Amino acid sequence: MKVTIFGTGYVGLVTGTCLADMGHHVMCVDIDEQKITNLRNGVIPIYEPGLESLVKTNVANGQLCFTANAEEGVAHAEIQFIAVGTPPDEDGSADLKYVLAVARSIASHMQSHKVIVNKSTVPVGTADKVSALVSQVLAARSSPLGFDVVSNPEFLKEGAAVNDCMKPDRIVIGSQSAHAISVMKELYAPFNRNHDRMIVMDVRSSELTKYAANCMLATKISFMNEMANLAERLGADIEQVRLGIGSDPRIGYHFIYPGCGYGGSCFPKDVQALIQTADSIGFDSAILKAVETINERQKSVLVNRVQQHFGADLQGKTFALWGLSFKPNTDDMREAPARVVMEALWLAGAKVQAFDPEAMEETQRIYGQRADLVLCGTKEAALKDADALIICTEWKNFRAPDFDSLKQTLRHAVIFDGRNLYDPDVVRRYGFTYYAIGRGDSIKTY
Ligand SMILES: NC(=O)c1ccc[n+]([C@@H]2O[C@H](COP(=O)([O-])OP(=O)(O)OC[C@H]3O[C@@H](n4cnc5c(N)ncnc54)[C@H](O)[C@@H]3O)[C@@H](O)[C@H]2O)c1
């Protein structure tokens, strides 16, 4: 089948590439001409395991192509995906301007029936807004053309996006149009060979499903961070508690890791957007508000510890920072806890020597050149002449460091671990002062 995808970011590029790899003919459209030129030259704008080779193979096979020309994209296929960003507006609600711009563009250029598939994360009611806009533009063109609007939220995880897209847990389709549903079934048939993963529902339920999923996950994280804060004040160890509760199959081990807060392009904005949606209909979403408040507080836990240890004024201090991306296996720095940590350290007068396996370029792009930030080529280089080590992201490469050399290199044997990577007893044996999240005895100085 022929498919057009508007928006060539994490979602659009990964979805387009996976659809192409299954044999569909995919055209990816983006307004960022530089991105399109780069993609045509084999330069992939994001780091996502397995993506680069898949893009190159499918471009070479003629299954995947890129354009900045919206008209060309609209003409290419009946199926038109919208996979553009939905960033938070000033009040936290999802800003639909990019989604509606694409809808307008499709309506202005279409010369035949279209199935418009919304893959962006959008508030309940957006499909109705897209339908109204397309109808309005077609009416202005005096065009009798028909169209369907389908909701098809994306559940991929950055860092595992290709795998998630190739082997989805579920494919949610929101539509009541028999034609659109059958088109979507045919499109996704190659992903359903093992068993049917498609869940068809009404459009509003589909739109809400995406928010409910992300808000549930964010709630799990904030819940564990709340327990971690309690644990350390009560002299308990959250890692023991985690094992104790995870063994209950009703709770499970997934996604109950305490840490220095969630970040990324989705959880923070989706929690805020659903709070805003609830507020707009006069419903006070107490849980979601608490989830957000706890997360904001959690992002400051590491720096609070640093200042408890070294004093509020950090002039003349240098900190090694391991992990900049909001989670491992991505270079995405959007809402990353590391940013809050770095900015607070700078505010208190400290310097940062940072290392991340993938997010260094992105850090440079965001912060530019500044005297209080040194990006180091290795995790070991970041330690040189640093007063202490701070860990913000649980990259595998950080899990088993050489503690002897770490201790010799740092000015003080102090680790602030925002991801609970180490066994406090082991780190203590090496002579470190070890601050972790929610570990009763870890907040003592050994
Ligand atoms: N990143 C994720 O892990 C993830 C997962 C699930 C859902 N989502 C949702 O998917 C949507 C896209 O997210 P993303 O992370 O891929 O965004 P992104 O910012 O990485 O990419 C969006 C792309 O859309 C392009 N764009 C903007 N306006 C356009 C237009 N008029 N025509 C063509 N292209 C246009 C931008 O130039 C950009 O390249 C969001 O709603 C997001 O919430 C993201």
Side-chain angles (χ1 to χ4, degrees), residues 73-338:
V74 176
H76 175 74
E78 182 187 13
I79 307 172
Q80 302 274 312
F81 273 93
I82 304 178
V84 295
T86 45
D89 218 336
E90 272 166 26
D91 62 359
S93 63
D95 185 346
L96 292 179
K97 68 170 179 271
Y98 302 111
V99 169
L100 295 176
V102 175
R104 181 179 290 283
S105 186
I106 294 169
S108 309
H109 296 304
M110 62 193 262
Q111 301 296 337
S112 56
H113 182 276
K114 299 291 173 194
V115 175
I116 301 168
V117 186
N118 195 4
K119 210 165 226 331
S120 298
T121 302
V122 290
V124 175
T126 301
D128 294 341
K129 283 189 183 157
V130 167
S131 285
L133 178 62
V134 173
S135 299
Q136 187 193 323
V137 175
L138 287 174
R141 285 174 55 196
S142 307
S143 166
L145 290 172
F147 66 94
D148 291 298
V149 177
V150 175
S151 162
N152 172 214
E154 180 54 57
F155 297 97
L156 63 76
K157 300 183 285 295
E158 283 180 26
V162 171
N163 191 53
D164 287 347
C165 193
M166 288 296 197
K167 292 181 196 145
D169 297 327
R170 73 291 211 196
I171 301 165
V172 172
I173 300 294
S175 174
Q176 263 143 357
S177 151
H179 172 69
I181 293 168
S182 88
V183 166
M184 297 310 287
K185 280 197 168 148
E186 192 182 341
L187 179 75
Y188 281 119
F191 299 86
N192 282 325
R193 276 180 62 77
N194 180 274
H195 63 274
D196 191 2
R197 293 165 165 95
M198 197 171 265
I199 306 170
V200 180
M201 58 180 78
D202 67 275
V203 176
R204 283 178 173 251
S205 301
S206 167
E207 289 171 334
L208 185 56
T209 297
K210 174 64 194 174
Y211 282 100
N214 275 357
C215 290
M216 178 70 175
L217 294 170
T219 302
K220 286 181 96 171
I221 295 174
S222 278
F223 176 82
M224 280 312 278
N225 286 335
E226 184 93 319
M227 291 303 115
N229 286 319
L230 272 174
E232 66 194 32
R233 284 161 180 79
L234 294 169
D237 179 357
I238 193 64
E239 291 301 328
Q240 303 298 320
V241 177
R242 180 175 67 77
L243 298 174
I245 65 170
S247 52
D248 182 334
R250 294 170 302 175
I251 297 173
Y253 292 108
H254 289 298
F255 238 74
I256 55 167
Y257 291 96
C260 53
Y262 62 74
S265 66
C266 294
F267 291 178
K269 87 169 168 59
D270 293 348
V271 171
Q272 277 173 27
L274 195 53
I275 291 172
Q276 193 56 37
T277 298
D279 280 348
S280 74
I281 51 167
F283 182 77
D284 180 28
S285 178
I287 285 188
L288 296 181
K289 286 178 183 168
V291 166
E292 201 192 9
T293 305
I294 291 167
N295 194 54
E296 285 310 301
R297 200 168 61 193
Q298 199 66 14
K299 286 183 175 179
S300 303
V301 161
L302 281 180
V303 175
N304 291 345
R305 298 262 162 80
V306 170
Q307 290 185 310
Q308 274 158 20
H309 186 95
F310 287 104
D313 182 3
L314 298 175
Q315 291 283 345
K317 295 273 181 291
T318 299
F319 293 94
L321 183 68
W322 285 0
L324 295 161
S325 55
F326 82 92
K327 67 173 179 178
N329 298 322
T330 179
D331 59 355
D332 198 337
M333 296 268 300
R334 291 179 279 186
E335 305 280 337

Side-chain angles (χ1 to χ4, degrees), residues 5-27:
I5 303 199
F6 280 86
T8 313
Y10 284 87
V11 170
L13 182 59
V14 172
T15 306
T17 306
C18 292
L19 287 169
D21 203 55
M22 290 294 184
H24 297 307
H25 289 273
V26 180
M27 182 177 283

